[in-house]
Amino acid sequence: MHPISLTVMLLLVAGAATEARSLRAEPHCPPPGLDSVKDFDLQAYIAAPWYAVEQVVVTYQPRNSFYCTRARYVPVDPSNLQKGVTVINYGNRDGVNNNPVGVSGAAGNRSVELFAVPAPVSGPTAASKLLVGPKQFLAAAPAAAVAQRLGAPNGNYRVVAAGPSKDKSIGYDWAIIVGGASAPSEPTASGLCGPSKAKDEGLWLFHRNPLPPQSDIDHMKQLAKSLGIDTSRLEPVVHKGCKYEGADPTSPSTPAAAAAGTGANGATGSSNVQSAGGSSSRNAQSSGPKKLLVGSAAVAAAAGGCKQHWLGWLLAHGKRC
């Protein structure tokens, strides 16, 4: 064979091999068919605190804040969740029980009121989709308009799997949450889809028990992978020794009775799990107020994006970027 012909042939073979590897490493993201939980009981979901036991780094939750992270959801009107829910996030930075930080009054920070409203969708998975952001922003327009501006018609907070609890009042013992309009949208070498760093997408493993059995965490990760979600960027949150002081504020938006809340339930060993689309499987186991943009100005700022991660900046610094 002529040397030039051999060279051309080798180049063609190498090119084909490279393209094949590229196709294998570039899955369609988000995973086809990935949806939030079907027939979700939002009332039970928000009935007790949640503890992030593993999560990925995002701009508003840097690695040094992975201590004592807790979330509570307090409805404006328990009889009508369409009116929205106050999101009370709490954590410590640089160590357990050190430098408390929070929103919606937690850790004394009342300059940022974080809020959640049902995403403007219908159908059996609607209750597990939420729009989350500053209260002033979400109150600026109807949910459908806000969702359109955010490019998040299905919400930016979705519960893609949840493990039923033996305690019916709290509904679930653990949950897997993805954050972002199209999360998880980043193809990974594993052939799965991970949360995008560029889009500041989140991934959280929640549990009612701040110190759950490792088997529950392992199960959540395995289930996430079965849904097409890459969990390699997840990092553990430290809860041992946490006191959660200042995690339950009282304010007009968080009534004392609601803020006191139900204690975390540590029941484990559920045999069924609700996951994306509702499928079931066995063996599942600061200082003073800072000025914020409100009304149409907040919607316009989000649409234009004063910075790519405007929400993260707001939550981290208590002010617009």
Side-chain angles (χ1 to χ4, degrees), residues 4-315:
I4 294 179
S5 299
L6 179 60
T7 300
V8 171
M9 182 178 294
L10 290 174
L11 287 173
L12 289 173
V13 171
T18 299
E19 184 174 348
R21 285 195 300 270
S22 176
L23 289 173
R24 285 196 300 270
E26 292 290 325
H28 177 75
C29 294
L34 178 66
D35 200 351
S36 58
V37 172
K38 184 179 179 181
D39 300 325
F40 189 66
D41 187 346
L42 182 58
Q43 189 79 57
Y45 180 78
I46 66 174
W50 285 103
Y51 299 86
V53 292
E54 291 202 13
Q55 63 185 79
V56 300
V57 172
V58 288
T59 57
Y60 50 94
Q61 288 183 312
R63 185 174 286 100
N64 72 332
S65 68
F66 283 22
Y67 299 93
C68 311
T69 304
R70 197 184 87 149
R72 273 193 53 75
Y73 304 93
V74 180
V76 171
D77 180 353
S79 66
N80 183 6
L81 298 184
Q82 293 295 318
K83 293 183 179 180
V85 177
T86 297
V87 180
I88 306 172
N89 285 344
Y90 172 89
N92 294 141
R93 287 190 176 170
D94 304 315
V96 170
N97 304 322
N98 188 47
N99 297 329
V101 292
V103 295
S104 303
N109 180 14
R110 300 189 184 278
S111 63
V112 178
E113 287 286 322
L114 198 58
F115 204 61
V117 296
V121 294
S122 59
T125 64
S128 52
K129 296 178 173 70
L130 299 171
L131 282 169
V132 180
K135 186 173 184 179
Q136 295 91 334
F137 172 60
L138 290 178
V146 174
Q148 182 179 9
R149 293 284 187 141
L150 284 175
N154 293 315
N156 57 7
Y157 176 112
R158 297 189 302 283
V159 182
V160 297
S165 175
K166 294 177 182 178
D167 183 347
K168 300 302 181 183
S169 67
I170 63 171
Y172 309 97
D173 280 339
W174 54 261
I176 303 173
I177 294 92
V178 295
S182 57
S185 66
E186 185 170 296
T188 67
S190 66
L192 303 175
C193 300
S196 167
K197 290 183 180 180
K199 297 179 181 179
D200 213 25
E201 294 174 347
L203 175 62
W204 293 267
L205 303 185
F206 274 11
H207 207 288
R208 298 292 193 188
N209 184 348
L211 298 171
Q214 184 61 42
S215 59
D216 280 12
I217 298 175
D218 293 341
H219 175 72
M220 282 190 276
K221 287 183 176 181
Q222 197 59 45
L223 179 58
K225 291 177 183 178
S226 74
L227 296 173
I229 302 172
D230 191 310
T231 63
S232 60
R233 286 183 51 217
L234 284 171
E235 298 186 30
V237 177
V238 179
H239 284 280
K240 187 175 182 178
C242 291
K243 296 180 179 179
Y244 309 103
E245 292 178 340
D248 285 317
T250 57
S251 71
S253 61
T254 57
T262 306
N265 182 287
T268 58
S270 299
S271 60
N272 294 305
V273 54
Q274 278 186 270
S275 61
S279 61
S280 179
S281 62
R282 300 296 295 178
N283 299 322
Q285 297 295 329
S286 115
S287 57
K290 297 183 175 74
K291 185 177 181 180
L292 303 177
L293 291 178
V294 297
S296 59
V299 175
C306 57
K307 280 192 176 182
Q308 184 177 7
H309 305 312
W310 64 274
L311 176 56
W313 181 273
L314 177 66
L315 297 182

